[in-house]
Amino acid sequence: MALKIVKGSIDRMFDKNLQDLVRGIRNHKEDEAKYISTCIDEIKQELKQDNIAVKANAVCKLTYLQMLGYDVSWAAFNIVEVMSSSKFTYKRIGYLAASQCFHEGTDVIMLTTNQIRKDLSSPHQYDTGVALTGLSCFVTPDLARDLANDIMTLMSHTKPYIRKKAVLIMYKVFLKYPESLRPAFPRLKEKLEDPDPGVQSAAVNVICELARRNPKNYLSLAPLFFKLMTSSTNNWVLIKIIKLFGALTPLEPRLGKKLIEPLTNLIHSTSAMSLLYECVNTVIAVLISLSSGMPNHSASIQLCVQKLRILIEDSDQNLKYLGLLAMSKILKTHPKSVQSHKDLILQCLDDKDESIRLRALDLLYGMVSKKNLMEIVKKLMLHVDKAEGTTYRDELLTKIIDICSQSNYQYITNFEWYISILVELTRLEGTRHGHLIASQMLDVAIRVKAIRGFAVAQMATLLDNAHLLTGNTQRNGICEVLYAAAWICGEFSEHLEDPMQTLEAMLRPKVATLPGHIQAVYVQNAAKLFATVLRKHEGETDSHAAQETSQLLIDRLPLFVQSANLEVQERASCILQLVKYIQKLQQKKVEVAEEVTALFAGELNPVAPKAQKKVPVPEGLDLDAWINKPPSESESEDEKPKAVFAKEEPKHSRSRHTEVDEKELARRREARKREQANNPFYIKASPSSQKVYDAPGVEHIPVVQIDLSVPLKVPGMPMSDQYLKLEEERRQKEKAERKKEKKKKREKRGKERKADSGPESEEDIAPAHQVDIVTEEMPENALPSDDDDKDPNDPHKALDIDLDKPLADSEKLPVRTHRPEVLKSPAEDRVNESIPQETKKRSGKEKKEKKKGKEKDRKRSKEEKKKKKHKEVEEELLESHPEEAVQSEETKEAATPPTSTSAEASELDFWLCSAPVPPAAQEETAPSSAAAVDTSSAAAPESEPDEPKDAEPEDTKSSKHKKKKQKKEKEEKEKKKKKRHHHHHHHSNAGGEDSVQNGTVEEEEPLPPMSNYFLLAENSYIKMVYDIQGNHQDESKVVVSVIFENKSDSFLKSMEFNVLDSLNSKLQRPEGAGAHDSLTVPFQLPPGISNEAHFVFSVQSIVMPQKLKGTLTFIVKSDESSTHEKLDFKLHFTCTSYLITTPCYL
Amino acid sequence: MIKAILIFNNHGKPRLSKFYEHYTEDTEQQIIRETFHLVSKRDENICNFLEGGLLIGGSDNKLIYRHYATLYFVFCVDSSESELGILDLIQVLVETLDKCFENVCELDLIFHVDKVHNILAEMVMGGMVLETNMSEIITQVEAQGKMEKSEAGITGAPARAVSAVKNMNLPEMPKNINIGDISIKVPNLPSFK
């Protein structure tokens, strides 16, 4: 034996260790993969040896390989072996490997529970520490549930080293096993005042993480944190607390008021920039939460802005970045104070650091005014030219458009300028944002009637020079602009100077290389242009020119008829035939222009994005009713008319290729017609309604005087600058004028503009020309809604638990109790029960691995050995430790008096009210779920919305008065609570967490009445609710209480209850009964009566959740007849349902 | 929460990776590559924060990094962490490594990644900051080191001897030994503690 050990250690000397592996990899740079694969083979050999040192070495190497991206999950079992070594060195290697590669899907994790428990209770603090560290990385819901109690015990360990680790890991436990939060919280709270600063910091850390997600549950801790904040000197803790307050203040404005002073003091006193920054951040949050009408807080804002300016001016880029970040938060509520630092922010735009430039861009958004918009955009345009990376340039582009278009083009005074900016932006190479520019062009041209003439001229130039945009294949994104250009030229063709030229430009052969949807727009708008040209020429009695135009179309359109794109093809062939027909008419000297233009009559108005959805359904219209008789086939089809209705957007009429059969099409058309008839906002196509060009609505549009001396027609020349100059001149002129006629007030001309909230002297700047922004149409009373839902999969949602409610009986962490059969045969049983698939899987895997060139018989013998070994380890792992019973005893000490929490809530109010509160204390509109509000006990602060109203700060009398009142209220609430409590008994309650509060501490009677019944099954005759309870006497059994309630008006009898047993849980049947016999329910149910029956199940393993299928058969007997009925159900045994109710000891 | 801690060198070779959320090995490598790509193209003397690590988490997350000589130390954190605090934490980590390895250089990290993990485990646990006090960290690390040595005892001696010999014999060791020390002094940041 001794020889063996010596031999083993000598062997080990020549094994490759981690250093050798690393060195080897570095020496095999050319064939690294090959070298590593040989190393992995060696490691596999090493893992097969018995020597734990060799195994640990192998696992250590695997950890390194994992970092390089190799999957090592095949060695998971070996890792568990190494973890269970008694030597700290190896244990640590094992836990490290586990923390790097175990996750919830790792199947061997379930084997580790006992090992980890053993390590947690190890006398050596580093064993415990290593286990906690490892566990924090791979904790699963099962592990969390099984170990929660052990970890909670460790929170009161004598060594602070263990305490702080235990406190930290609790966060992970809460995440995986939310039920543990309430039982563990009192102790966690205690740790906030731990003598050791490390433990304290850990507790702050955990609570901050928790509170960040569900702040309202932690409001009651505010006084405690406040105390910590004013006493702690640990910056790390301070930062966390201050961050936490930032999350709490939006919920409780009174808290904010209390915070301002100490935070301002900290800002003045601290030298640590990190702390200063967080203080400023929280002050900003406070200021945001207080409604703006507080003059005395302008000082705080000034302080913040001042400090931020110092940060931004600092040479340290990090501070600069953070300063800008915080500045953007202030911007939202106090734009004026930020605007005064415009110079600084513009300066940051020139910074060499992209992150800083981006932050500065964000800020610019809020800094623009009518006055400086042009100037700022000019600066940005310069940056666009200079920018090297496409991402930054694209960012600039979107920012320019954002800034200009914000709040309905509020700051644009000269739309000619804006159009030319957009045109300039089209020169950007390789931008992805072509469609963004295009939609802006469309939007402006449609909504600003006065600009149409100018816009059309510009677009015509664009079309003429389309080759500049499309010449390079890299510029793909930008050709989107041509879509807008073509549409604008076509739709507003009456403004075109030379429609013929544009028409020619749109029919160039090169157009065929554009994307399909753009070609389609080209073709369609060519037709519109054609109509315009005809009209023009008809007046001149020059039939020759008109015929030439027709010929042009007839010559060019066949190109599009051949297009592969269906939309293009269809439109082209339609129009081609039309033109051919027109040509015939022309040859007969028939006047056609009038009729051709009628084809495109009507004006499009912009419609708000959600307008159509908001159209109220007129009375008497049933959208779900069939319009035509439904075709018998599919049911889902009936949704379609609705969908068409919702999707309809006149602006984006891009081709949608849907394949629908003709019937369906016809049906839809019919449906659509009806919808349109009822829709007041749909522009009806009846030709008699409007003749476009002499319609009265158009005449009044003031046509903009375009100064054509500006070289508009030269493409690629920056011309927006000229507008800037012009603008300045104009303003100066205006100023001079104003001096002359000082007292004459100028009328505000922008008709439908929103009342602007821009900076001072905003009104002084009159728009360059009359601009009539057509606001988007919306149905009356409809508001654009913004309902965004929270992610339902957020793990933190489960942690939204009211922590102030007193702990209930049923709430405690599962403690391991020793089950009789486990004691009888310590491991064997459970190994056989829960592990067999496990070992099978593993050995299956091993088999595969071994197949690589191994003799068969050798393999078999080894296999057996392996299995044996597995079992040994299992036994070791599952060994039970008697010491634990003692430990769980300890936890009893930490019982919390149930009344303290409700007292605390009013304490919070009192604490908050002791700060000066303005009479108009804001009420919270806490959007807490209805259920939480009406069932929560007196503790939840937001359930007392009337309190802050009463708070009168100045006189002390009222505060005394208030105290009394609070007391009264408290009493009342407690009474209510009691009532409610009784009320809840025997009440089915399907709402998971809510049910826990029903059991309360007052009851100490043996076997308290069940409280949390869940719905089992229900039909029109009967309703069954059930509850599962552990059994004190016999711990291998659970009692399922089922309440049967007769819902019918017939008599229910001969009820038989049967459940399909599983390996793990069996229904206890009377002796002599077969395994599948059903149990007779020992009573009958008259109408409307309910009664309860108990069924006993024997359970093998409590760690396996189960679902048992069952049926209830019964006879329904009414006066006339009796029928046999059946109801299927699923009985759900969760692991928590095995908990045994014992008196609360927390 | 800290989502991940990555250390890689100027060529993107990972020297340590610690993810506090589970990813597959492939995703992990992809994250490392992407992070390296993002971080490496940034100049010196620009800010140490980067938004939008696309693979981890999403918009709530930030990359906070520092570049020392040949190594990048990158922390991926969410909005609950203080940016400057994390920068200080990186500094503490590097200084601790410097103390534990005595003038740490990239080679130490290459050959003793397990030891680096153990040091890190005393600072950050499951994504949350455990300890920021350097002397406390070093005390714990050293105490564990002692335990390891005492466990190895006599049986460990021959193995240690052999590995010492191996190290001596290897020609590449002296070649690489001057790969560069990590410069610890970083200006402009007021000390945290």
Side-chain angles (χ1 to χ4, degrees):
Chain A
M1 190 63 197
L3 194 70
K4 211 177 168 188
I5 291 173
V6 173
K7 192 170 168 284
S9 71
I10 288 174
D11 278 350
R12 194 149 43 96
M13 295 194 313
F14 299 104
D15 277 344
K16 229 182 251 169
N17 62 12
L18 175 61
Q19 281 75 38
D20 298 326
L21 174 75
V22 175
R23 204 171 287 129
I25 292 174
R26 286 162 69 82
N27 286 337
H28 291 79
K29 284 211 168 95
E30 296 80 35
D31 50 350
E32 196 182 290
K34 200 177 145 203
Y35 178 77
I36 289 177
S37 79
T38 59
C39 285
I40 289 180
D41 284 342
E42 280 171 29
I43 288 170
K44 281 180 183 164
Q45 287 300 323
E46 287 168 23
L47 287 176
K48 279 175 203 153
Q49 292 184 33
D50 281 335
N51 192 328
I52 191 73
V54 178
K55 267 186 193 164
N57 185 31
V59 166
C60 185
K61 286 189 277 184
L62 281 178
T63 314
Y64 182 78
L65 293 178
Q66 195 271 343
M67 182 183 81
L68 298 184
Y70 290 84
D71 176 30
V72 298
S73 56
W74 49 269
F77 187 79
N78 304 103
I79 292 173
V80 175
E81 282 180 308
V82 176
M83 275 162 74
S84 58
S85 156
S86 57
K87 276 196 180 174
F88 171 72
T89 319
Y90 304 143
K91 190 183 289 294
R92 184 160 74 167
I93 290 171
Y95 272 106
L96 174 61
S99 73
Q100 291 294 87
C101 64
F102 280 11
H103 54 91
E104 274 186 31
T106 309
D107 42 16
V108 292
I109 275 197
M110 59 191 287
L111 301 181
T112 59
T113 316
N114 278 291
Q115 179 57 43
I116 295 172
R117 181 175 282 136
K118 196 170 139 193
D119 288 335
L120 290 182
S121 55
S122 157
H124 304 292
Q125 62 163 335
Y126 291 114
D127 283 355
T128 315
V130 152
L132 284 171
T133 308
L135 186 62
S136 71
C137 291
F138 59 79
V139 61
T140 63
D142 284 348
L143 281 178
R145 188 196 55 227
D146 295 340
L147 297 171
N149 199 48
D150 303 72
I151 297 170
M152 210 166 92
T153 318
L154 290 179
M155 280 165 73
S156 326
H157 200 274
T158 48
K159 299 244 170 59
Y161 178 73
I162 301 298
R163 281 210 301 276
K164 69 181 176 196
K165 287 197 169 192
V167 168
L168 266 195
I169 203 176
M170 276 321 273
Y171 177 64
K172 293 275 172 167
V173 173
F174 295 150
L175 274 187
K176 300 287 174 182
Y177 179 52
E179 288 89 335
S180 60
L181 177 57
R182 274 172 49 76
F185 195 73
R187 188 168 301 186
L188 184 61
K189 206 168 122 188
E190 252 168 54
K191 294 296 141 199
L192 284 176
E193 294 174 293
D194 195 278
D196 184 84
V199 182
Q200 204 182 30
S201 140
V204 170
N205 227 333
V206 170
I207 293 183
C208 288
E209 278 298 333
L210 289 170
R212 199 164 68 94
R213 309 294 180 149
N214 302 299
K216 70 174 192 309
N217 300 334
Y218 298 86
L219 217 48
S220 61
L221 290 180
L224 188 56
F225 276 117
F226 191 81
K227 205 176 97 192
L228 276 179
M229 184 177 83
T230 42
S231 60
S232 176
T233 50
N234 181 342
N235 280 351
W236 191 270
V237 170
L238 279 176
I239 286 175
K240 282 279 171 188
I241 293 176
I242 288 167
K243 267 190 170 270
L244 172 69
F245 277 135
L248 291 182
T249 42
L251 299 175
E252 182 53 270
R254 289 176 293 169
L255 177 63
K257 275 179 211 110
K258 225 179 146 92
L259 283 173
I260 286 249
E261 202 198 316
L263 284 180
T264 341
N265 290 344
L266 263 179
I267 290 176
H268 282 301
S269 64
T270 184
S271 60
M273 280 301 185
S274 43
L275 185 57
L276 172 79
Y277 172 67
E278 294 305 337
C279 285
V280 170
N281 251 336
T282 299
V283 171
I284 294 168
V286 169
L287 293 175
I288 290 172
S289 76
L290 300 173
S291 47
S292 50
M294 313 237 101
N296 54 328
H297 287 308
S298 63
S300 318
I301 297 167
Q302 277 316 311
L303 177 68
C304 286
V305 175
Q306 223 173 30
K307 286 285 175 185
L308 289 180
R309 189 178 171 105
I310 294 173
L311 288 187
I312 296 173
E313 280 172 337
D314 199 288
S315 61
D316 185 344
Q317 299 285 322
N318 293 328
L319 298 182
K320 195 174 272 194
Y321 172 88
L322 293 175
L324 290 169
L325 198 63
M327 209 61 128
S328 66
K329 283 180 198 155
I330 301 186
L331 186 70
K332 279 176 206 141
T333 48
H334 300 88
K336 275 187 193 165
S337 19
V338 181
Q339 269 156 5
S340 54
H341 299 280
K342 200 184 90 193
D343 55 319
L344 192 64
I345 286 150
L346 283 176
Q347 211 178 307
C348 288
L349 274 185
D350 297 325
D351 203 283
K352 59 184 186 292
D353 188 344
E354 196 176 295
S355 308
I356 285 174
R357 287 198 304 252
L358 287 176
R359 286 281 80 83
L361 271 182
D362 280 350
L363 277 172
L364 269 189
Y365 182 82
M367 315 260 314
V368 289
S369 64
K370 283 182 187 168
K371 231 184 196 171
N372 60 20
L373 176 72
M374 284 185 169
E375 191 190 325
I376 287 178
V377 172
K378 184 188 166 193
K379 204 162 165 164
L380 291 181
M381 291 300 281
L382 282 178
H383 278 282
V384 171
D385 288 337
K386 277 192 288 178
E388 58 282 358
T390 44
T391 31
Y392 179 58
R393 206 167 43 188
D394 280 357
E395 188 62 33
L396 272 170
L397 190 154
T398 44
K399 268 281 138 47
I400 290 176
I401 289 179
D402 275 358
I403 287 173
C404 292
S405 64
Q406 66 174 309
S407 40
N408 218 1
Y409 306 102
Q410 192 189 344
Y411 299 117
I412 295 186
T413 48
N414 187 335
F415 278 91
E416 281 183 30
W417 165 82
Y418 186 44
I419 292 278
S420 37
I421 287 284
L422 288 176
V423 172
E424 271 175 52
L425 285 175
T426 62
R427 290 183 293 114
L428 273 186
E429 268 180 63
T431 178
R432 289 179 290 112
H433 293 300
H435 65 275
L436 193 62
I437 303 176
S439 70
Q440 280 291 301
M441 286 173 169
L442 286 171
D443 200 39
V444 172
I446 294 169
R447 291 170 62 177
V448 188
K449 283 187 180 159
I451 202 67
R452 284 178 190 167
F454 180 76
V456 166
Q458 290 288 301
M459 294 304 124
T461 334
L462 261 185
L463 284 179
D464 218 17
N465 297 291
H467 58 278
L468 289 176
L469 299 177
T470 54
N472 194 334
T473 41
Q474 274 189 336
R475 296 179 174 185
N476 264 341
I478 206 68
C479 64
E480 224 39 59
V481 172
L482 294 176
Y483 175 96
W487 190 87
I488 291 171
C489 283
E491 188 62 27
F492 306 117
S493 49
E494 70 270 21
H495 298 295
L496 268 180
E497 286 242 308
D498 187 358
M500 190 58 201
Q501 192 196 346
T502 312
L503 181 63
E504 201 275 328
M506 279 167 70
L507 292 171
R508 282 179 199 149
K510 215 157 180 207
V511 172
T513 58
L514 290 172
H517 66 278
I518 297 178
Q519 282 186 57
V521 169
Y522 263 68
V523 172
Q524 186 70 17
N525 286 288
K528 291 181 195 165
L529 280 178
F530 175 60
T532 318
V533 174
L534 280 188
R535 245 180 76 91
K536 221 176 186 178
H537 288 308
E538 224 142 68
E540 296 163 13
T541 63
D542 178 11
S543 64
H544 188 65
Q547 280 184 25
E548 249 178 24
T549 321
S550 315
Q551 194 53 48
L552 176 77
L553 278 164
I554 291 169
D555 289 345
R556 299 279 174 86
L557 278 175
L559 180 70
F560 297 102
V561 176
Q562 290 161 12
S563 169
N565 188 304
L566 202 66
E567 181 80 17
V568 180
Q569 202 187 65
E570 197 182 351
R571 288 185 191 223
S573 49
C574 269
I575 289 164
L576 183 59
Q577 291 313 314
L578 181 74
V579 176
K580 276 182 183 164
Y581 179 67
I582 290 169
Q583 198 184 29
K584 259 186 217 160
L585 290 178
Q586 277 175 335
Q587 277 156 2
K588 288 179 197 162
K589 309 269 178 207
V590 183
E591 297 258 308
V592 283
E594 198 72 8
E595 279 154 66
V596 177
T597 40
L599 280 176
F600 306 105
E603 195 184 350
L604 286 181
N605 284 331
V607 175
K610 287 176 183 168
Q612 291 225 335
K613 256 189 254 171
K614 303 273 176 177
V615 177
V617 180
E619 255 179 83
L621 176 68
D622 182 7
L623 286 175
D624 294 328
W626 288 102
I627 295 168
N628 298 322
K629 279 219 166 151
S632 53
E633 345 107 16
S634 62
E635 292 167 55
S636 59
E637 297 284 66
D638 65 336
E639 294 292 329
K640 288 229 166 118
K642 244 194 211 167
V644 169
F645 180 45
K647 265 187 222 157
E648 201 75 3
E649 265 184 53
K651 252 161 67 184
H652 303 281
S653 53
R654 288 196 193 161
S655 54
R656 244 178 260 139
H657 308 281
T658 39
E659 287 159 342
V660 244
D661 57 316
E662 282 186 340
K663 244 193 205 170
E664 173 62 21
L665 267 178
R667 204 169 58 72
R668 277 203 216 167
R669 211 168 291 139
E670 189 69 34
R672 198 160 42 217
K673 261 186 208 157
R674 287 226 182 176
E675 303 286 21
Q676 287 165 0
N678 285 322
N679 183 350
F681 298 97
Y682 193 87
I683 297 133
K684 279 142 197 123
S686 53
S688 57
S689 64
Q690 278 178 318
K691 288 271 158 102
V692 209
Y693 298 117
D694 37 26
V698 187
E699 223 108 52
H700 80 276
I701 299 175
V703 177
V704 180
Q705 296 296 315
I706 303 171
D707 185 1
L708 285 175
S709 60
V710 180
L712 285 181
K713 290 193 175 159
V714 185
M717 267 279 285
M719 47 202 167
S720 53
D721 290 359
Q722 266 118 359
Y723 286 100
L724 195 57
K725 270 181 215 153
L726 282 178
E727 181 73 13
E728 269 163 24
E729 280 167 26
R730 192 176 62 87
R731 269 183 210 165
Q732 253 157 20
K733 227 193 266 168
E734 264 173 31
K735 238 188 224 166
E737 268 174 39
R738 210 177 299 132
K739 267 181 193 166
K740 276 181 206 163
E741 27 182 334
K742 249 182 195 170
K743 284 184 183 172
K744 276 191 183 175
K745 257 200 174 174
R746 231 164 228 271
E747 269 181 278
K748 230 189 143 194
R749 280 182 276 177
K751 246 197 227 163
E752 286 180 65
R753 288 216 164 177
K754 284 185 181 169
D756 69 70
S757 52
E760 63 288 301
S761 79
E762 189 75 313
E763 306 95 296
D764 297 352
I765 304 160
H769 43 70
Q770 291 192 0
V771 172
D772 176 22
I773 294 184
V774 183
T775 42
E776 290 174 330
E777 289 182 351
M778 267 294 233
E780 279 169 56
N781 300 329
L783 286 168
S785 62
D786 39 355
D787 25 39
D788 41 298
D789 294 329
K790 276 186 183 172
D791 179 16
N793 297 325
D794 187 7
H796 299 280
K797 234 185 170 179
L799 285 180
D800 190 0
I801 295 170
D802 187 353
L803 293 163
D804 297 327
K805 274 188 291 181
L807 277 176
D809 254 6
S810 54
E811 282 183 283
K812 58 175 186 246
L813 295 175
V815 188
R816 223 172 39 141
T817 47
H818 302 283
R819 289 170 179 277
E821 79 263 343
V822 176
L823 282 179
K824 266 179 241 157
S825 49
E828 218 95 323
D829 274 9
R830 284 181 57 190
V831 170
N832 289 343
E833 270 305 313
S834 56
I835 308 302
Q837 327 101 301
E838 196 38 56
T839 26
K840 256 185 231 161
K841 252 191 224 162
R842 287 223 46 80
S843 54
K845 263 187 203 166
E846 246 116 39
K847 247 183 219 164
K848 257 186 221 161
E849 287 155 20
K850 272 183 192 163
K851 261 184 188 170
K852 291 172 192 171
K854 291 268 154 97
E855 300 102 311
K856 270 190 181 172
D857 39 354
R858 223 182 107 195
K859 193 172 82 185
R860 204 171 293 153
S861 68
K862 266 202 174 169
E863 196 83 325
E864 272 161 23
K865 239 198 226 163
K866 192 114 211 167
K867 265 185 195 164
K868 249 190 215 162
K869 219 190 291 162
H870 278 200
K871 220 172 240 174
E872 270 165 30
V873 174
E874 242 87 88
E875 271 165 22
E876 201 182 306
L877 292 175
L878 291 167
E879 234 178 312
S880 46
H881 310 286
E883 320 94 74
E884 259 136 61
V886 185
Q887 272 184 3
S888 59
E889 210 82 2
E890 273 176 32
T891 56
K892 286 184 187 175
E893 298 161 10
T896 43
T899 45
S900 73
T901 44
S902 59
E904 218 164 72
S906 35
E907 261 168 35
L908 172 70
D909 271 333
F910 180 66
W911 178 75
L912 288 168
C913 286
S914 59
V917 178
Q922 300 88 342
E923 250 180 80
E924 275 181 74
T925 51
S928 50
S929 63
V933 169
D934 61 20
T935 55
S936 70
S937 50
E942 60 268 68
S943 68
E944 299 166 295
D946 42 348
E947 287 222 350
K949 266 193 212 158
D950 299 342
E952 203 64 57
E954 290 91 24
D955 51 355
T956 45
K957 250 188 203 172
S958 74
S959 89
K960 259 186 207 167
H961 178 68
K962 208 180 127 267
K963 257 193 206 166
K964 258 187 212 166
K965 217 177 175 182
Q966 274 178 347
K967 235 186 213 170
K968 250 189 215 165
E969 256 170 339
K970 212 165 75 190
E971 274 165 18
E972 261 174 26
K973 267 179 190 153
E974 253 156 20
K975 261 185 218 164
K976 263 189 218 160
K977 210 167 71 191
K978 270 184 200 167
K979 263 187 208 163
R980 211 181 286 141
H981 162 81
H982 285 296
H983 185 65
H984 267 289
H985 284 311
H986 288 283
H987 217 273
S988 70
N989 193 343
E993 289 162 8
D994 288 2
S995 58
V996 290
Q997 73 195 346
N998 295 327
T1000 43
V1001 199
E1002 299 143 45
E1003 304 169 71
E1004 298 268 348
E1005 325 128 34
L1007 262 180
M1010 327 295 169
S1011 46
N1012 16 3
Y1013 283 87
F1014 289 94
L1015 183 67
L1016 185 57
E1018 185 174 16
N1019 64 12
S1020 55
Y1021 299 107
I1022 192 165
K1023 181 180 176 186
M1024 306 196 305
V1025 290
Y1026 77 109
D1027 178 43
I1028 303 172
Q1029 279 253 319
N1031 191 333
H1032 277 291
Q1033 278 77 42
D1034 186 351
E1035 282 168 355
S1036 67
K1037 299 214 165 71
V1038 292
V1039 178
V1040 177
S1041 317
V1042 184
I1043 298 179
F1044 299 90
E1045 186 189 343
N1046 186 348
K1047 288 167 63 190
S1048 66
D1049 11 310
S1050 324
F1051 201 81
L1052 300 185
K1053 60 177 212 176
S1054 334
M1055 290 187 279
E1056 296 202 337
F1057 182 88
N1058 198 4
V1059 168
L1060 210 58
D1061 290 344
S1062 73
L1063 267 180
N1064 188 35
S1065 334
K1066 292 188 172 59
L1067 177 62
Q1068 293 273 301
R1069 298 178 167 86
E1071 288 203 13
H1076 304 293
D1077 290 354
S1078 46
L1079 289 183
T1080 313
V1081 180
F1083 48 78
Q1084 301 182 331
L1085 284 180
I1089 299 298
S1090 59
N1091 203 344
E1092 184 168 353
H1094 301 279
F1095 302 95
V1096 181
F1097 285 78
S1098 60
V1099 177
Q1100 293 276 339
S1101 160
I1102 60 158
V1103 295
M1104 289 169 73
Q1106 292 260 320
K1107 265 187 189 160
L1108 296 185
K1109 276 189 188 166
T1111 16
L1112 180 81
T1113 56
F1114 52 94
I1115 292 173
V1116 184
K1117 195 164 187 235
S1118 56
D1119 294 338
E1120 311 91 55
S1121 63
S1122 67
T1123 48
H1124 214 83
E1125 291 289 340
K1126 194 179 113 176
L1127 178 60
D1128 290 325
F1129 56 84
K1130 265 187 194 160
L1131 200 52
H1132 197 133
F1133 287 96
T1134 56
C1135 294
T1136 48
S1137 63
Y1138 302 122
L1139 300 188
I1140 292 175
T1141 330
T1142 46
C1144 179
Y1145 57 84
L1146 278 175
Chain B
M1 285 275 283
I2 299 170
K3 305 282 166 134
I5 296 173
L6 307 173
I7 304 177
F8 44 74
N9 72 358
N10 287 348
H11 307 289
K13 286 251 185 223
R15 293 304 175 214
L16 174 131
S17 67
K18 182 90 207 166
F19 291 87
Y20 294 103
E21 277 166 4
H22 174 69
Y23 297 99
T24 62
E25 273 76 14
D26 288 342
T27 325
E28 286 184 1
Q29 292 305 309
Q30 220 177 321
I31 291 172
I32 295 172
R33 271 197 302 275
E34 193 194 76
T35 313
F36 169 71
H37 188 70
L38 282 173
V39 166
S40 63
K41 66 178 181 200
R42 292 171 65 84
D43 297 336
E44 298 291 317
N45 299 326
I46 61 175
C47 78
N48 299 97
F49 313 118
L50 248 171
E51 270 155 88
L54 292 175
L55 280 166
I56 307 180
S59 59
D60 194 31
N61 291 345
K62 271 201 185 90
L63 296 176
I64 299 175
Y65 73 96
R66 280 197 161 194
H67 189 197
Y68 295 94
T70 57
L71 291 175
Y72 284 97
F73 290 71
V74 186
F75 279 46
C76 179
V77 302
D78 69 13
S79 62
S80 75
E81 298 295 338
S82 147
E83 291 88 346
L84 294 173
I86 293 292
L87 273 183
D88 286 335
L89 189 71
I90 299 178
Q91 181 78 3
V92 172
L93 171 64
V94 175
E95 283 182 34
T96 314
L97 290 176
D98 194 49
K99 286 257 167 60
C100 292
F101 285 108
E102 285 158 22
N103 284 327
V104 66
C105 67
E106 192 185 340
L107 276 182
D108 292 318
L109 270 69
I110 295 171
F111 286 105
H112 302 282
V113 67
D114 49 340
K115 209 172 163 189
V116 182
H117 268 296
N118 295 334
I119 293 168
L120 189 62
E122 295 303 322
M123 298 178 63
V124 180
M125 191 175 122
M128 279 176 295
V129 179
L130 179 69
E131 185 59 70
T132 50
N133 182 345
M134 191 162 62
S135 60
E136 171 72 14
I137 298 165
I138 291 173
T139 320
Q140 302 299 350
V141 170
E142 279 174 355
Q144 291 177 52
K146 257 181 214 157
M147 241 180 111
E148 202 174 344
K149 261 183 200 157
S150 72
E151 271 181 0
I154 304 164
T155 49
R160 280 205 299 277
V162 167
S163 80
V165 170
K166 277 181 192 161
N167 280 350
M168 269 166 56
N169 286 344
L170 259 147
E172 65 157 298
M173 274 308 261
K175 225 193 292 169
N176 283 341
I177 209 120
N178 284 330
I179 234 167
D181 288 297
I182 289 172
S183 66
I184 293 302
K185 300 289 167 278
V186 174
N188 287 337
L189 256 176
S191 80
F192 184 60
K193 280 272 156 188

